[in-house]
Amino acid sequence: MTTPRAEEFEIHRPRLFGIAYRMLGSAHEAEDAVQDTWLRFDGTDRAAVERPAAWLATAVTRLCLNRLTSARARRERYPGTWLPEPVVTAEGALGPQEAAELRDGVSYALLVLLERLTPTERAVYVLREAFAYGHREISGVLGIGEANCRQLYRRAVARLAEGEARFEAAPRRQRELVESFVAAARDGDLTALERVLADDVTWWSDGGGRVSAALRPVVGRAKVVRFLLGTLRKGGDGLTYTITEVNGAAGLLVHAGDQPVGVLAFGCDGDAIARVRAVMNPDKLDFVRRQLARG
């Protein structure tokens, strides 16, 4: 039977998952952090929780900070490129209240850039940018001084500004480019592929040592086209492609039969695809798999 406390927690669950996902870059780890938050909330004296929303945000953020410390060590040992875990966002997976900031706040490019921040910088940036927390609120969540909080935020913004240029095409144009990419790849049309890719396009693959994947980024239009066509030949005719919204932008689901075997996130500069990040590690596709099953 659902208790009043459980009902109260469910009201806040989408926001807690949103914080945890941005903090960790992993949907399944975010779910674990949210579940641990529930256990702490359920085991705490109700009289000690004056403001549930603030208490829960503080709890999940601190749990994520602890997880990030150990996660960094694991990612240093990760075989090949480590990429964040993608989320299909077409159905509002991160909560309807976040629709307005979804495109920028959960963009795949931003999640990649957030990896360059320290755990505390990341927490400050996420709470400030994605959830509009004031510096005084953030200082209370993290247990640091407000002045220090402001300094961490400025440092985070500066470090993120040093990352890849972000001149993303408009959403409609992004989808058109992805559609052209899919058509060219499906037909093995070399000329069409070259036309849709930027000269300096970069392709990252994350197989996690579980499936065959390029261990290093593939850079340059000619190399990416050769790599892609070789990959498609190995995959045979059994692959199907579905364009959908991945982390707030046009992305691609790759299926073998009824099972997703890859999720591609694209970065489009102007009229060309400049960045492709392909997640093929089966462990990182579990959340998407469950999303599709619910759909």
Side-chain angles (χ1 to χ4, degrees), residues 29-108:
E29 289 185 16
E31 288 183 312
D32 289 345
V34 171
Q35 182 61 24
D36 288 347
T37 302
W38 156 247
L39 293 175
R40 293 192 177 195
F41 184 61
D42 190 43
T44 301
D45 183 359
R46 184 67 181 85
V49 182
E50 295 182 5
R51 298 167 55 218
W55 190 98
L56 290 167
T58 299
V60 77
T61 301
R62 292 181 178 177
L63 284 168
C64 288
L65 286 172
N66 292 337
R67 287 173 176 270
L68 274 177
T69 302
S70 59
R72 294 206 162 209
R74 293 196 305 274
R75 290 170 190 177
E76 288 175 359
R77 301 189 301 269
Y78 196 79
T81 300
W82 183 93
L83 291 175
E85 191 175 327
V87 170
V88 175
T89 50
E91 302 300 325
L94 299 180
Q97 294 180 347
E98 299 179 48
E101 71 257 13
L102 186 61
R103 188 169 304 281
D104 291 330
V106 209
S107 76
Y108 210 79

Side-chain angles (χ1 to χ4, degrees), residues 7-29:
E7 291 176 353
E8 184 173 37
F9 181 82
E10 288 303 315
I11 293 172
H12 300 286
R13 182 185 287 274
R15 176 167 289 259
L16 298 179
F17 179 80
I19 292 173
Y21 176 63
R22 289 168 172 86
M23 284 286 295
L24 299 170
S26 167
H28 81 271
E29 289 185 16

